[in-house]
Amino acid sequence: MHFIDVILPIPLQKAFTYHITKAESEFLKPGIRVAVPFGKSKIYTALVYKIHNNPPTAYDAKTIHQILDDTPVITEHQLQHWEWISQYYMCSLGEVMRAAMPNAFLLESETIISKNEKIEIKDSELKDDEFLIYEALQHQSSLKINDVVSILDKKRVLPVINDLVEKGVLNLQEELYEKYQPKLVRYVKLHDNHKSQEKLQELLEMLNSRATKQREVILTLFTLEASTKQPIKVSELVERSGASSAIIKALIDKTILEEYHIRTDRIQFEGNGDIDAKVLNDAQQNAFDKIETIFKEKAVTLLHGVTSSGKTEIYVQLIQKQLESGKQVLYLLPEIALTTQLVQRLQDYFGEKVAVFHSRYSGNERVEVWNNMLNNSDKARIIIGARSSLLLPFKNLGLIIVDEEHEQSYKQFDPAPRYHARDAAIVLANLHKAKTLLGSATPSLESYYNASQGKYGLVELNTRYNNVLMPDIELVDLADKYKRKRMKGHFSDRLIEEITETLEQGFQIILFQNRRGFSPIIECTTCGTSPQCPNCDVSLTYHQYRDQLRCHYCGYNSAMLKSCQACGNSTLDTKGFGTEQIEEEVRLLFPEKKVARMDLDTTRGKYGFEKIINSFEQREIDILVGTQMLTKGLDFRYVKLVGIMNADNLLNFPDFRAHERSYQLMAQVSGRAGRTDLRGKVIIQTYNPHHNILQQVSTNSYKDMFAEQMNDRYNYKYPPIYRLIKITFKHKDYNRVNLAADWYAKSLRQVFKSNVLGPEFPPVSRIRNLYLKNILLKIPEKQSLSKTKEAIMKIENSFNAVKDFRAVRVILNVDNY
Ligand code: ADP
Ligand code: ZN
């Protein structure tokens, strides 16, 4: 008897077992895809996990449907890495598989509806909707669910279909279809009929007399062929000859031309690949040598280099070395920093060897990167991508660079696997016996702590490239400015002076405000009511551009109210301010300057960021207003002034990391100023100019910040001293969430005593009509992580056995950074 365990792309606690034949057992290997039946009538694409001879005890193993590959589509290291992720972050292997594999690899069954030919039914026995479906099947042999949706012009069609199946009128059948469509490009050549000198002469003479346009096309084709010595695309021929595609089609129809298709890569590289890397200066060279030395002993090194110290150029040299020894490099970046700026820089050096991978890529583009890697192609030596690129099939990895390693977007929040890309990268590198370089101007406390403990190596770069001074940071006391009437809107006189001067000198300005929209709260000055989201426990944000109120949690929106819904007075006022309001105020203050805004609302679409970033680079914009998107490692040459509109809402955020994050954010935005020769200037407006974090930002004292924050983390038992697992409960019923969370917390307390915090409602306690409640479990350094998780799973299982709790969603978030 032969069996396989497979991973299904759904959250199952265990692998599922199927029965296979002896021949199949000889052919199959872990990592090959098979189509298997699962549940009542679904077919899934699964991955072979293990091949063995033990029948399952709890159920009869079904047979597999079909084998989908000749060779594995994932590597052994990948599987090991997935296992680690699933274990460490407490999720199923199927969830990791779902996150890792391009959708196009996960064939799905599609329901095919056909008529039951054995049954005769009178039209009068059918209801209206039923008749429409039945009639459609008189004209075609089968329909898909989507077809029925358009025939009936409504979304809920399953009840109707089910009724018809029960009446025996319809048959249902599940069919697999391949989602990946290779991209085919149309080419043309002269038809074989005319290849001989003689025939060609005849042809040209014939065209000469009548069809001049067609003749033009043929001659252009010859010229192109002669000059490029390569296949000629139809699109190219159209462009060069100026003829319409109809003319080319006519030539194809007349068998004068012949068309053919070639499969091409969707992802075409753009850079030259022939630009020489920059020569490192002494400080950079020194850092480079140190990194190399440390790598001889340690797997991980932290490169702590102030903004604009030239870290990227050091990465380039390290990459170069890896390529020379035939290894692959993974260059991880926060999603948002993946702009053409950096990609272009790398492609200039490494050309076609660079492959880019991020979530804005289409499914087909992802498949191509995946396949190139699986084939260890030369097109995939350097993978630059956001966190999920860590899950690709690396063959021969030598180095992982985690740039901006402090970025919180490296942690996946939802759905599972809730992994931290930096930590998962270190594990991946270890599997490949590769090295990991973490880079940041403002390292996370975790990484700096690990470095200070000797677990990681540490290399520091304290000067900017070219010895440009760190920007001069000035704190402006808002309370004082308001009292002395030195404010225009949200701009202090100091900020206005600096903006004016910078503009006069012809430099650019960045203004940072960590909220989008016009105003986060609308309040009635008569009765104090402010409009709330009907689905979430938050105030609606006013967006002036659309004259709308919007919820930033669920997307709910409504037209701006004319009067207060509670008291009816038209005394609605705005409180607080977002990027939209700042943009408007700047335009009024500097009417002849070009102002743009960069936030979630202005950067939608595949090239959203790029457009704004490019025009800022081209100096088509004088003043750029934006949210934290502006902080992500962008390199602008002509920015001299950065204004932080209000530091206080960063500092007051209710989270144990708020101070660390505020430091990072402000140091990073400030770092956009004065990157080339001139010293930059930063104005931070705040009600708390004496706040320690602001003092540390303005004196560039990362180490003081680190020491002080670490002290708090020791005292209050937070990471990196303790580990955290956050357990979130979600349900639409308020009471049930309370009961469930209380039950769970009580059980946890029996084991973990005072290290269990909560349950507590988060600041936003209801999102999309679901109530949320959190428990925080603190895990001391010496406590075994695996035993802790075992204990949680035990509680989880008893929890799930309680009928009332089964509908409550429980989300485990390990290392909730
Ligand atoms: P970081 O990544 O540390 O913020 P970058 O690598 O972006 O810094 O470097 C800052 C600026 O200095 C960039 O414009 C870069 O082109 C330039 N630069 C850095 N190193 C060199 C070098 N060795 N030679 C010439 N220019 C350099
Ligand atoms: Zn909402």
Side-chain angles (χ1 to χ4, degrees), residues 687-700:
Y687 284 98
N688 290 296
H690 300 294
H691 198 292
N692 276 352
I693 287 289
L694 293 177
Q695 293 296 327
Q696 288 152 0
V697 170
S698 64
T699 52
N700 194 29

Side-chain angles (χ1 to χ4, degrees), residues 278-281 284 306-313 345 465 635 637 675:
K278 299 192 166 79
V279 179
L280 299 183
N281 67 15
Q284 286 172 318
V306 295
T307 51
S308 205
S309 53
K311 295 185 289 297
T312 317
E313 298 305 326
R345 215 161 138 186
Y465 177 74
D635 185 23
R637 305 180 64 82
R675 287 178 69 87

Side-chain angles (χ1 to χ4, degrees), residues 533-538 540 550-556 766-768:
C533 174
N535 314 317
C536 312
D537 171 30
V538 285
L540 294 168
R550 305 178 73 99
C551 171
H552 287 181
Y553 285 82
C554 73
Y556 168 87
R766 187 176 52 117
I767 295 176
R768 293 173 197 273

Side-chain angles (χ1 to χ4, degrees), residues 445-634:
L445 292 196
E446 279 73 22
S447 297
Y448 205 77
Y449 176 71
N450 280 328
S452 68
Q453 297 288 303
K455 200 170 153 195
Y456 302 166
L458 177 65
V459 176
E460 309 209 61
L461 260 178
N462 297 317
T463 49
R464 293 188 135 186
Y465 177 74
N466 240 351
N467 288 322
V468 185
L469 286 175
M470 292 302 286
D472 168 32
I473 301 181
E474 177 179 331
L475 300 170
V476 171
D477 183 350
L478 283 175
D480 174 65
K481 293 291 179 192
Y482 273 109
K483 204 170 89 198
R484 296 198 289 131
K485 307 221 169 356
R486 297 285 170 79
M487 298 291 292
K488 276 189 189 161
H490 296 95
F491 290 75
S492 62
D493 53 355
R494 280 298 297 131
L495 185 51
I496 294 177
E497 280 160 26
E498 288 294 333
I499 296 177
T500 313
E501 193 185 316
T502 308
L503 291 171
E504 272 165 12
Q505 295 168 343
F507 289 103
Q508 291 171 299
I509 295 153
I510 284 177
L511 296 176
F512 170 79
Q513 168 59 11
N514 207 29
R515 278 200 165 127
R516 64 196 168 94
F518 188 82
S519 158
I521 296 173
I522 300 291
E523 199 179 73
C524 173
T525 53
T526 308
C527 72
T529 306
S530 50
Q532 302 286 311
C533 174
N535 314 317
C536 312
D537 171 30
V538 285
S539 314
L540 294 168
T541 298
Y542 175 50
H543 284 246
Q544 190 179 51
Y545 171 66
R546 295 225 164 106
D547 201 29
Q548 262 184 351
L549 293 173
R550 305 178 73 99
C551 171
H552 287 181
Y553 285 82
C554 73
Y556 168 87
N557 59 72
S558 74
M560 175 58 184
L561 305 170
K562 296 271 178 292
S563 56
C564 173
Q565 281 177 315
C567 71
N569 282 329
S570 44
T571 47
L572 291 175
D573 199 9
T574 58
K575 263 178 89 178
F577 60 100
T579 44
E580 232 188 22
Q581 195 167 150
I582 296 304
E583 184 191 9
E584 181 182 280
E585 290 183 7
V586 183
R587 283 186 200 280
L588 290 172
L589 288 167
F590 301 95
E592 56 305 356
K593 295 297 170 182
K594 281 158 284 170
V595 182
R597 174 160 56 91
M598 184 158 120
D599 57 27
L600 255 188
D601 300 315
T602 60
T603 53
R604 300 194 196 277
K606 191 164 172 179
Y607 298 107
F609 303 117
E610 272 90 335
K611 270 197 210 138
I612 297 178
I613 288 166
N614 285 343
S615 64
F616 196 51
E617 264 186 332
Q618 304 298 320
R619 304 172 87 173
E620 293 157 10
I621 297 168
D622 301 307
I623 304 172
L624 184 58
V625 180
T627 56
Q628 55 193 350
M629 278 182 185
L630 288 170
T631 60
K632 323 282 163 166
L634 296 169

Side-chain angles (χ1 to χ4, degrees), residues 72-91:
V73 294
I74 65 167
T75 68
E76 257 170 68
H77 280 332
Q78 225 177 343
L79 203 50
Q80 289 168 336
H81 192 226
W82 292 5
E83 280 167 347
W84 179 83
I85 291 177
S86 119
Q87 226 170 37
Y88 189 87
Y89 293 103
M90 304 182 81
C91 63

Side-chain angles (χ1 to χ4, degrees), residues 60 149 177 194 321 362 498 501 590 732 735 765 795 808:
D60 280 335
V149 168
Y177 67 103
H194 306 281
K321 272 212 123 163
S362 72
E498 288 294 333
E501 193 185 316
F590 301 95
K732 61 178 189 301
N735 287 327
S765 62
I795 293 172
V808 178

